[in-house]
Amino acid sequence: MNRFFKQIIITTTTTTTTKPLTSPFHLKSHKLFSSIPSLTPQDLTFLQNPTTPKPSNFSSDAISIAKAIDSTPNNTQWEETQRVLRNYREKLDVGLVSNVLKIVKNRELGVKFFIWAGRQVGYTHGAAVYHAVIEMVGGGDRRVPEGVLREIREGDDGDEVLGELMNVLVRKCCRNGKWGLALEELGRLKDFGYKASRATYNVLVRVFLEADRVDSARLVYDEMVGNDVRMDEGVLGCFVYRLCKSGEWRDALELIEKEEVEVNAELWMKMIMGLSEASLFDEAMEFLGRMRCGSCIPNVDTYQVLVRECLRKGRLGMCKRILGMMMAEGCYPDRHMFSSIVHGFCKAGEFSYAYKFLKKMEGYGRRLGYVVYNIMIGGICGRKELPTSDEFELAEKVYGEMLDAGILLNKINISNFVRCLCGAEKFEKAYKVIQEMMSKGFVPDATTYSNVIEILCNSSRIEKAFLLFEDMRRNRVVPDVYIYSILIDALCKAGLIEQAQKLFTAMIEGGCSPNVVTYTSLIHAYLKARKLGDADKLFERMLSQNCIPNIVTYTALIDGHCKGGNIDKACQIYERMMGNVSVPHVDMYFGQNNSGTNEPNVFTYGALIDGLCKSQKVSEARDLLEAMLTNGCEPNRIVYDALIDGFCKEGKLDEAQEVFTKMSSRGYSLGEHTYGSLIDRMFKDKRLDLALKFVSKMLESSCAPNVVIYTEMIDGLCKVQKTEEAYKLLLLMDEKGCRPNVVSYTALIDGFGKAGKVDRCLELFKEMGEKGCVPNYITYRVLINHCCSAGLLDDAYNLLEEMKQMYWPLHAASYQKVIDGFSREFLISNGLLDAIGEKDSVPLVPTYRILIDSLTKAGRLETALQLYKEIASSSQKCIAGSTCSLLIKSLCLASKVEEGFDIFADNLKRGGTCELDVFFHLILGLTKLGRWDEALQLSHSICYMVCSPFFLLCRVKALPAIY
């Protein structure tokens, strides 16, 4: 074999292994395939002669000749067969011979027929015959036996026939992708003394180039040059493309020059394509310039090659430049390229340019169709994060144009667009979009409805979700378990458990069986609402329906019991999950799974650790963290945050820092919540230096303090009488873009008040309003208290009047929302915790009481009496006895006994009590007015009550006869 081609074989042959194709699906287990019969050997009989076509596809002459050949008893009787074949000499042509070779079964006799046919006068083998004989002897996929080749060569004109046959064989090996085998056959061709044809060389070069074997292609080309063989234009284009793609564009130009070919538009495009794919855009643009300077004018295909690669490589600036040149010369992208350009710019977030390009193409007469509109809206709304206001405004504009054109969004983009509308709180429009699409012929399925219903539920728009749910049923789309589960979960999270239960019942009555997610949502809601009986009953039903609880269910059980205040039951469920079968009272949760094989995950541990911390069992929570690590479950940041917060609330700062150290050692960074807990505790413990170090550390880790942390720092500084520093921090907070909230201002007002700087309190209160921060009940209460303490009763009274005009809530349910954000310690220090805890209490009462007491002590009885009557008319509860007593005493001393008796009677009707000295002041007041009989009657009543054991044990309550 020729040494040159041996070198090529060594450098190019690679070992390939064919792996059996495996399906990702087990079809036999699928219900659709369960009835398919198994495979039998008889089913494979068609494979016995896979390459033999059905005889009916060929002429009768071809079939007769093939039968005559195959019926030859042995090779020695071939002479007899030739006598039969002579009858067909006049009919021989390329088609007949090639068909015979395809039908005949005896390979050796088929070769003899091939040789015999080639000898016949007036007949010459064609390409189809060569391919047929190669196919017959198995060439193209494996090495042709040497004997077959020699037999062909020994016939008349054998050298010419064999040379042509081997050239065809080499080319066939190349086309079959067997270029290693092709080189071997080429080597044999040369060993037989033949030359490769131009077609063979060109096919070999193309095969090597397509296999990205440029070096091997060079060697074959050098052989071609040595034999004075020229490359075809198509192969030359492929060669220069590969050279440019590998960055060897100078060699490409030299190759063209060597081939003495005039560079046409096709060659320029091939080189530009190669350079673009190699990201050599500057060189590609230079070639484009050369092309334009020459006789070739770039066409739309050339430009589109550049645009396509710029989009693929993200070179959008270059893409814009090329598009400008392209359209300036009257070349416009085709439909597919137009869509690709819009998609490319949308994918890069350049929606504005994509829209401008879209409108420009529309101006050039390009019809904007379904695809382009969906690309635009899908690009803007299909991302995980919501679009900016400008981007979404553009999406709405495109949607309007699309609607006017009568074009529909696809199902995915409807969901995406509606999700963004809900994210922008345009819920009415979101609902309208669904209706508009339906009016245009869009038929939503259960998946579309479920996507939009889920979006609405996540946006707390349950009423809109249920409107869509009803619309779904009107359109006869059957809700599936996923939709029911979304709605039930949303109702549960909104605290509407009764409505969730009704929907659950309707779901079952409608023939839809709940799954583990449905049951888990409802059970969790019952537990959080402390309806343990309902939760247990539902759990039993779940088990009876063979719905097996999973780890999410058990985690929900633990979390629900924790939030419902039943931390002991939560711990028992955890113990059972860990395999402790002796744990009482939780058998029902495990049914037949007595071993509790659902191992806790990070969410299970997190729920229990958080519950323990909130139940002031922080030490047990820390032990659980250790158990979690021992069991190989890696805690997440939420678990560490809960434990650090728990220790901080318990005042155990050192233990909190230990957990923080462990958290940091495991690669977790502190978040705002954790920093806030630690800094708040440090300020409360008056460890300012340590707190400031943590603030510095927080800033170094690029975690900016939020309003909660700033407020905790302000409150902490006020507690150590550093009110001016606290005020500076408030200003700094606002300067850094974090607006102080009502809690921030109230903490500082309270700090100034406790420092005796009530004038600063009033200034800050005014500043607060000017900054657009609305004071709440706590703010008014704190400020009124400090004004009263400083004797600024007119200011206090005006604040009360202002507070009344703000319609502050009268009942505890609404009042609870007002106190959100204030710490427990702050509320206790201002005497607000009792008001919070009293059921149906009136939060205004304590504020009135403070002001009434202050006005009474200052002798401003008319105003005090007016305030008493106001609050008495709005509350069914009694006002504190001390306030009533003080007011009655002061009224009696001022000879206003009738008013004193009115308050006394009203207080007793409300179930209140008065001190004994109130009676003496009432008697004294009566005597001052000369009303001795009434004074004696009241004295007699007092004597009767003093002798009563009830009076001796508790405070005096007057008898109805007194009135």
Side-chain angles (χ1 to χ4, degrees):
M1 186 183 290
N2 184 284
R3 185 170 60 84
F4 164 69
F5 281 101
K6 285 183 180 179
Q7 179 186 354
I8 296 181
I9 292 173
I10 293 170
T11 58
T12 58
T13 305
T14 58
T15 303
T16 59
T17 57
T18 304
K19 296 183 179 179
L21 295 175
T22 57
S23 171
F25 304 103
H26 299 288
L27 297 182
K28 287 185 178 180
S29 64
H30 196 282
K31 63 182 181 181
L32 294 177
F33 297 89
S34 57
S35 60
I36 296 177
S38 58
L39 189 69
T40 64
Q42 288 73 23
D43 295 324
L44 302 177
T45 55
F46 70 93
L47 296 175
Q48 290 176 359
N49 296 299
T51 59
T52 305
K54 293 180 180 180
S56 59
N57 293 337
F58 302 101
S59 66
S60 58
D61 289 338
I63 294 170
S64 299
I65 294 170
K67 283 183 178 179
I69 295 170
D70 287 331
S71 63
T72 304
N74 53 57
N75 292 344
T76 58
Q77 297 183 9
W78 174 246
E79 293 297 331
E80 295 291 333
T81 304
Q82 288 185 68
R83 291 192 185 97
V84 177
L85 296 178
R86 289 190 190 104
N87 297 324
Y88 296 96
R89 280 189 299 190
E90 300 298 327
K91 297 181 179 180
L92 288 180
D93 59 21
V94 170
L96 178 61
V97 174
S98 62
N99 284 339
V100 170
L101 292 172
K102 290 175 184 177
I103 299 171
V104 74
K105 297 176 182 178
N106 190 313
R107 188 178 68 182
E108 293 181 7
L109 294 175
V111 171
K112 289 181 180 294
F113 170 72
F114 170 75
I115 295 170
W116 174 85
R119 294 172 181 169
Q120 305 309 308
V121 177
Y123 168 78
T124 305
H125 289 313
V129 175
Y130 287 118
H131 282 289
V133 75
I134 290 169
E135 188 75 27
M136 183 185 69
V137 299
D141 289 318
R142 60 180 182 270
R143 187 181 174 91
V144 175
E146 189 83 11
V148 172
L149 298 179
R150 293 192 180 279
E151 185 179 358
I152 293 172
R153 187 178 189 184
E154 289 171 0
D156 297 337
D157 298 325
D159 284 340
E160 182 181 345
V161 171
L162 182 61
E164 185 62 32
L165 177 68
M166 293 202 70
N167 273 284
V168 173
L169 177 60
V170 172
R171 296 198 293 273
K172 188 172 182 62
C173 290
C174 290
R175 292 190 181 97
N176 289 349
K178 307 285 185 179
W179 41 268
L181 181 61
L183 287 175
E184 290 184 28
E185 296 293 2
L186 184 62
R188 285 205 292 177
L189 181 148
K190 296 173 74 97
D191 289 342
F192 277 117
Y194 303 119
K195 287 184 179 181
S197 67
R198 180 184 179 190
T200 303
Y201 275 125
N202 276 282
V203 169
L204 264 174
V205 172
R206 182 182 288 278
V207 166
F208 281 125
L209 291 171
E210 289 174 354
D212 205 17
R213 293 283 196 178
V214 179
D215 292 339
S216 299
R218 285 179 194 270
L219 293 173
V220 176
Y221 175 68
D222 289 341
E223 176 87 4
M224 291 175 68
V225 173
N227 291 328
D228 198 25
V229 177
R230 306 290 293 274
M231 267 194 293
D232 294 338
E233 186 175 321
V235 178
L236 178 61
C238 185
F239 212 144
V240 295
Y241 160 73
R242 288 289 173 182
L243 288 170
C244 289
K245 188 176 179 181
S246 60
E248 302 173 83
W249 54 271
R250 292 183 180 84
D251 292 348
L253 292 174
E254 289 178 8
L255 182 62
I256 292 172
E257 186 177 348
K258 189 183 292 185
E259 285 291 305
E260 298 178 353
V261 173
E262 184 178 349
V263 187
N264 57 21
E266 184 68 22
L267 283 176
W268 280 118
M269 189 178 74
K270 290 285 186 182
M271 289 189 285
I272 290 170
M273 183 189 295
L275 291 168
S276 300
E277 290 181 13
S279 298
L280 300 172
F281 291 104
D282 292 336
E283 289 80 356
M285 292 301 291
E286 183 185 340
F287 272 49
L288 183 66
R290 290 189 187 188
M291 181 180 183
R292 296 172 73 185
C293 291
S295 59
C296 292
I297 299 174
N299 58 20
V300 67
D301 294 330
T302 310
Y303 281 117
Q304 288 191 159
V305 162
L306 272 168
V307 170
R308 186 181 298 110
E309 290 307 315
C310 285
L311 289 173
R312 283 180 57 193
K313 301 294 173 59
R315 296 290 296 270
L316 300 185
M318 181 74 72
C319 184
K320 291 176 184 178
R321 179 183 167 192
I322 296 165
L323 285 171
M325 294 168 56
M326 177 180 180
M327 289 190 285
E329 294 182 3
C331 294
Y332 304 109
D334 61 27
R335 182 169 58 88
H336 296 294
M337 179 53 62
F338 177 36
S339 301
S340 297
I341 291 167
V342 175
H343 178 264
F345 280 97
C346 286
K347 188 178 178 181
E350 292 202 27
F351 305 112
S352 178
Y353 182 85
Y355 180 73
K356 288 177 183 176
F357 179 74
L358 183 148
K359 299 307 290 182
K360 184 179 287 187
M361 290 300 295
E362 187 179 33
Y364 288 131
R366 177 76 67 195
R367 186 174 178 274
L368 306 183
Y370 165 86
V371 175
V372 176
Y373 278 119
N374 273 273
I375 289 171
M376 277 295 299
I377 292 180
I380 297 171
C381 301
R383 298 171 297 172
K384 187 177 180 180
E385 66 278 3
L386 290 172
T388 64
S389 57
D390 290 340
E391 290 171 348
F392 190 58
E393 185 180 344
L394 178 60
E396 290 185 284
K397 185 177 181 180
V398 172
Y399 173 76
E401 293 175 2
M402 182 178 183
L403 205 62
D404 293 339
I407 297 173
L408 295 178
L409 283 170
N410 61 30
K411 287 195 296 185
I412 301 300
N413 285 329
I414 287 174
S415 297
N416 289 334
F417 188 48
V418 169
R419 176 182 72 92
C420 293
L421 283 167
C422 293
E425 298 187 356
K426 296 184 177 183
F427 302 102
E428 294 292 340
K429 186 168 183 178
Y431 186 75
K432 186 180 177 184
V433 165
I434 300 291
Q435 302 302 316
E436 286 171 341
M437 290 292 102
M438 290 176 65
S439 69
K440 298 288 184 181
F442 169 71
V443 181
D445 56 11
T447 304
T448 309
Y449 276 114
S450 65
N451 289 338
V452 180
I453 286 172
E454 184 177 19
I455 292 164
L456 291 169
C457 288
N458 290 339
S459 304
S460 301
R461 295 287 171 167
I462 303 175
E463 69 285 353
K464 290 294 180 187
F466 270 94
L467 284 174
L468 202 59
F469 178 69
E470 292 301 322
D471 187 72
M472 174 185 184
R473 295 203 291 191
R474 279 195 299 273
N475 289 322
R476 297 183 181 180
V477 179
V478 180
D480 56 18
V481 65
Y482 182 63
I483 292 176
Y484 276 115
S485 298
I486 291 170
L487 289 168
I488 288 170
D489 185 59
L491 289 169
C492 290
K493 286 176 179 174
L496 303 172
I497 305 176
E498 186 178 345
Q499 289 85 340
Q501 179 61 55
K502 287 180 181 178
L503 185 60
F504 179 81
T505 305
M507 171 187 185
I508 296 170
E509 291 173 353
C512 184
S513 299
N515 62 14
V516 66
V517 177
T518 323
Y519 279 112
T520 299
S521 297
L522 203 49
I523 290 168
H524 191 218
Y526 276 132
L527 290 171
K528 288 200 295 182
R530 306 196 178 195
K531 294 184 178 182
L532 184 59
D534 292 325
D536 289 348
K537 191 183 298 182
L538 189 60
F539 197 92
E540 288 173 358
R541 176 171 186 162
M542 176 183 177
L543 295 177
S544 70
Q545 297 297 317
N546 295 321
C547 185
I548 308 302
N550 57 20
I551 186 61
V552 179
T553 310
Y554 287 113
T555 301
L557 283 171
I558 288 174
D559 186 59
H561 279 298
C562 288
K563 287 183 168 62
N566 198 348
I567 189 69
D568 293 334
K569 180 66 76 66
C571 292
Q572 288 169 354
I573 295 171
Y574 166 75
E575 288 293 330
R576 187 60 172 274
M577 290 176 72
M578 296 303 294
N580 187 353
V581 295
S582 63
V583 178
H585 312 306
V586 292
D587 286 343
M588 66 157 293
Y589 293 126
F590 293 89
Q592 296 180 352
N593 183 18
N594 290 323
S595 61
T597 55
N598 281 290
E599 291 189 5
N601 60 19
V602 65
F603 302 105
T604 318
Y605 282 111
L608 191 52
I609 287 173
D610 185 58
L612 288 167
C613 289
K614 285 182 169 60
S615 301
Q616 289 81 51
K617 295 184 177 183
V618 191
S619 299
E620 290 90 330
R622 179 174 54 189
D623 294 340
L624 187 59
L625 176 66
E626 295 300 329
M628 182 181 183
L629 292 167
T630 303
N631 293 329
C633 184
E634 179 65 28
N636 58 19
R637 198 172 76 178
I638 297 171
V639 174
Y640 283 115
D641 284 352
L643 197 53
I644 289 171
D645 187 60
F647 275 123
C648 288
K649 282 185 168 60
E650 288 289 299
K652 298 179 179 179
L653 184 57
D654 293 336
E655 288 85 343
Q657 287 184 280
E658 286 178 14
V659 178
F660 161 68
T661 303
K662 183 176 291 187
M663 177 183 180
S664 300
S665 68
R666 302 187 81 86
Y668 291 102
S669 58
L670 284 178
E672 291 177 345
H673 180 72
T674 315
Y675 274 117
S677 299
L678 287 165
I679 291 169
D680 181 52
R681 186 72 259 166
M682 289 167 187
F683 272 108
K684 284 172 182 172
D685 290 351
K686 299 183 180 180
R687 299 174 68 173
L688 265 63
D689 292 342
L690 186 58
L692 292 175
K693 284 182 182 178
F694 259 84
V695 172
S696 299
K697 189 170 186 177
M698 180 181 184
L699 296 173
E700 287 170 5
S701 60
S702 300
C703 182
N706 59 17
V707 66
V708 176
I709 296 175
Y710 274 117
T711 302
E712 287 168 348
M713 293 166 67
I714 289 168
D715 188 46
L717 288 168
C718 289
K719 282 183 170 61
V720 293
Q721 290 79 48
K722 292 183 177 289
T723 50
E724 293 301 330
E725 288 83 351
Y727 180 68
K728 288 178 182 177
L729 186 60
L730 185 83
L731 296 177
L732 178 66
M733 171 186 182
D734 200 13
E735 184 182 312
K736 295 298 181 182
C738 183
R739 289 188 63 186
N741 61 15
V742 64
V743 184
S744 315
Y745 278 109
T746 304
L748 189 51
I749 287 170
D750 187 51
F752 277 128
K754 286 175 179 174
K757 302 176 181 178
V758 183
D759 54 335
R760 294 295 304 276
C761 293
L762 294 168
E763 288 174 9
L764 193 59
F765 182 79
K766 183 180 178 182
E767 179 185 321
M768 175 184 181
E770 290 172 351
K771 291 286 183 69
C773 184
V774 180
N776 63 14
Y777 163 74
I778 307 295
T779 316
Y780 282 107
R781 166 69 186 273
V782 167
L783 190 52
I784 288 171
N785 190 27
H786 290 308
C787 285
C788 290
S789 299
L792 302 174
L793 301 182
D794 289 331
D795 290 317
Y797 183 80
N798 291 334
L799 286 167
L800 181 63
E801 287 297 310
E802 184 180 307
M803 184 167 73
K804 287 190 297 181
Q805 293 167 4
M806 298 284 287
Y807 303 105
W808 279 105
L810 295 178
H811 299 288
S814 302
Y815 175 52
Q816 188 68 41
K817 297 176 183 176
V818 176
I819 62 153
D820 285 347
F822 291 92
S823 68
R824 181 183 178 86
E825 291 83 353
F826 183 85
L827 296 170
I828 291 172
S829 67
N830 285 282
L832 294 165
L833 201 61
D834 292 338
I836 297 166
E838 290 175 7
K839 203 169 184 179
D840 294 327
S841 65
V842 181
L844 289 176
V845 171
T847 310
Y848 270 90
R849 190 174 65 240
I850 293 168
L851 195 50
I852 290 169
D853 286 349
S854 300
L855 289 167
T856 302
K857 289 174 184 176
R860 298 173 62 174
L861 298 179
E862 289 184 8
T863 309
L865 188 59
Q866 178 189 340
L867 291 178
Y868 177 86
K869 289 177 180 178
E870 281 182 12
I871 196 61
S873 65
S874 63
S875 172
Q876 299 299 317
K877 297 289 183 179
C878 63
I879 299 173
S882 59
T883 301
C884 287
S885 298
L886 179 61
L887 187 54
I888 292 169
K889 292 174 189 177
S890 299
L891 288 167
C892 291
L893 291 172
S895 300
K896 296 185 178 183
V897 182
E898 291 296 337
E899 289 84 346
F901 266 104
D902 289 342
I903 293 172
F904 178 72
D906 180 69
N907 191 44
L908 290 177
K909 283 180 181 178
R910 296 171 183 272
T913 61
C914 288
E915 299 295 333
L916 184 60
D917 61 348
V918 171
F919 290 94
F920 296 117
H921 280 88
L922 286 169
I923 293 168
L924 182 61
L926 289 169
T927 57
K928 280 186 177 182
L929 296 174
R931 297 163 63 176
W932 291 97
D933 291 339
E934 294 170 85
L936 288 171
Q937 185 181 358
L938 183 56
S939 299
H940 177 72
S941 300
I942 294 169
C943 291
Y944 174 78
M945 286 186 290
V946 168
C947 296
S948 168
F950 177 76
F951 181 84
L952 297 173
L953 292 172
C954 57
R955 294 181 176 181
V956 177
K957 289 191 177 182
L959 299 175
I962 293 175
Y963 309 112

